[in-house]
Amino acid sequence: MVAPGVPGSHVMQVAFMVEDLEAACMDWVRTTGIGPFLTVPHVVLEEYSYCGRPASGLDFSVAIAQSGGVQIELIQQHCDNPSAYRDTVAKGQGGFHHLAIYTDDYDAMHARYTQQGFVTAVDGSFGGFRFSYIDTSATLGCMIELIEENPLQGEFFARIAGAAQGWDGSDPIRPGFPVAAQ
């Protein structure tokens, strides 16, 4: 088994679009026993490329839990902007959206998909590191998210995996970035 957050060409995350993030987290906890979910509310992408055109203002929240070597990511889009999320899962619907690959060779991995003729639905950066959604839905039934390896993301992935180890079912929804006590 590949350790969580270890870069490579393996799938390290499965992601689902949801309409109510907290309710979806609790549904996953009750149904599967997977948890806890670490949340990051209202991520706003101010500058990114959507279908090759400049875009801004995409507002969404995520919750991520670890299940063995794979993360479960739940995503709620708050705005009505066109997005890679809405390209495959319509507003008001929920469902499977993408598989994620965390890579230490982003350029080569990105080229691997585009050389096969797949189109990049989104290109962007977060915290100075790149990510993209490659539209592989016609072939795989979902998108592929590429995430460039970086220390901030690696630390977050480690905290998600650590929270799941020995989890006793308490505190099933937690802030992904807790506010430091003053």
Side-chain angles (χ1 to χ4, degrees):
M1 177 175 85
V2 177
V6 172
S9 60
H10 60 277
V11 171
M12 53 81 61
Q13 181 186 83
V14 294
F16 300 85
M17 293 298 300
V18 301
E19 280 298 302
D20 182 325
L21 194 65
E22 187 171 317
C25 289
M26 293 310 298
D27 287 344
W28 272 83
V29 168
R30 277 191 299 275
T31 304
T32 68
I34 294 169
F37 281 87
L38 277 62
T39 62
V40 183
H42 292 282
V43 175
V44 178
L45 294 181
E46 292 299 344
E47 293 182 27
Y48 61 99
S49 171
Y50 171 70
C51 296
R53 294 180 302 277
S56 66
L58 182 62
D59 180 9
F60 61 97
S61 296
V62 299
I64 306 174
Q66 193 73 39
S67 178
V70 177
Q71 292 177 351
I72 305 299
E73 179 181 38
L74 307 177
I75 307 158
Q76 179 182 356
Q77 182 173 327
H78 301 291
C79 62
D80 290 329
N81 296 20
S83 71
Y85 301 132
R86 296 290 184 231
D87 286 350
T88 56
V89 181
K91 182 177 180 173
Q93 302 293 310
F96 179 55
H97 183 263
H98 71 262
L99 301 170
I101 297 171
Y102 187 55
T103 179
D104 58 359
D105 194 348
Y106 184 88
D107 293 322
M109 190 67 70
H110 194 276
R112 175 181 176 183
Y113 287 98
T114 58
Q115 288 168 0
Q116 293 178 65
F118 294 114
V119 176
T120 303
V122 170
D123 271 316
S125 66
F126 191 76
F129 297 92
R130 298 173 292 175
F131 72 94
S132 59
Y133 287 100
I134 310 294
D135 190 355
T136 55
S137 56
T139 302
L140 301 179
C142 67
M143 293 212 183
I144 296 288
E145 179 184 20
L146 300 179
I147 306 166
E148 184 174 31
E149 179 188 13
N150 66 82
L152 297 173
Q153 194 77 49
E155 190 275 331
F156 183 50
F157 289 166
R159 283 192 296 110
I160 293 166
Q165 290 180 345
W167 181 55
D168 63 4
S170 64
D171 197 15
I173 302 173
R174 305 172 183 183
F177 297 96
V179 177
Q182 296 193 15

